[in-house]
Amino acid sequence: MKKIIVLGNSGSGKSTFTKNLSKITNIDALHLDVLIYKHDWKTSEYESVKHKIDDFINKDTWIIDGNFLKKSPQRFTLCDTIYFLDINRFTCLFSVIYRYFKYKGKHRDSKSDLCDEKLSKDYLKWVFINYYKTSRKYILNYIENCSDKKVIIFKTRRQIRRYLKEISV
């Protein structure tokens, strides 16, 4: 476990899991949201962040948090471990609403400081419906065909906490 990808819906706990995993393993982590999103959640041009991602994945060890399945496809080739936080939609929805109120106007390590927390109707629809129709299916299809990778799927936050506790010993 040296090159790790963490995938999941918004509000699934990717960033928190990544932060904890990074501390336990002493492996540097990169939150893609910080690179990809510029002011007001508009995405940066891929070429403007590509070299930063490429530099990061050229290290001996790394953890990358974030889906962006079409950005930096090399990370999928280079990784040896994939964590998929396949948390139910109600938990994810609650988490993004909670996060909005907790971090509104405040700094959060896993997002650009140029982006305020958002809670729009479209975003909530993405978290609750559209992610499950699109990205989740793509992720599941991809990891089914990853016989050369260690794939760990978490269905609950309890499973995540237990796992982190086990590996921290």
Side-chain angles (χ1 to χ4, degrees), residues 6-137:
V6 180
L7 303 170
N9 194 2
S10 295
S12 66
K14 293 184 305 292
S15 298
T16 302
F17 176 77
T18 298
K19 206 179 307 181
N20 289 323
L21 186 63
S22 177
K23 285 179 189 173
I24 292 166
T25 60
N26 202 28
I27 297 175
D28 288 339
L30 174 67
H31 300 284
L32 289 181
D33 279 356
V34 175
L35 289 181
I36 303 293
Y37 290 113
K38 55 185 180 179
H39 184 69
D40 202 25
W41 296 101
K42 301 211 180 343
T43 56
S44 299
E45 292 297 320
Y46 176 63
E47 289 303 317
S48 71
V49 296
K50 184 181 182 314
H51 72 279
K52 292 178 185 176
I53 296 171
D54 289 346
D55 286 346
F56 194 78
I57 63 176
N58 283 324
K59 295 179 180 183
D60 291 333
T61 61
W62 44 260
I63 303 170
I64 297 180
D65 151 17
N67 297 339
F68 301 101
L69 303 173
K70 294 178 183 173
K71 297 200 187 288
S72 186
Q74 283 181 300
R75 67 188 158 124
F76 291 99
T77 304
L78 296 174
C79 76
D80 56 40
T81 307
I82 298 172
Y83 290 98
F84 178 35
L85 282 58
D86 193 20
I87 308 301
N88 79 63
R89 67 183 73 221
F90 293 99
T91 300
C92 293
L93 183 66
F94 174 80
S95 294
V96 298
I97 293 169
Y98 175 80
R99 181 173 64 202
Y100 172 80
F101 289 106
K102 181 177 181 180
Y103 289 104
K104 180 77 174 139
K106 297 178 184 171
H107 171 76
R108 182 164 54 92
D109 290 341
S110 57
K111 73 166 183 66
S112 168
D113 285 335
L114 299 174
C115 298
D116 289 330
E117 292 295 331
K118 65 178 179 177
L119 198 59
S120 69
K121 180 179 167 184
D122 288 340
Y123 179 56
L124 294 175
K125 182 179 177 185
W126 165 257
V127 170
F128 197 74
I129 297 169
N130 295 343
Y131 165 84
Y132 293 91
K133 288 182 177 179
T134 57
S135 293
R136 181 178 182 272
K137 288 180 181 181

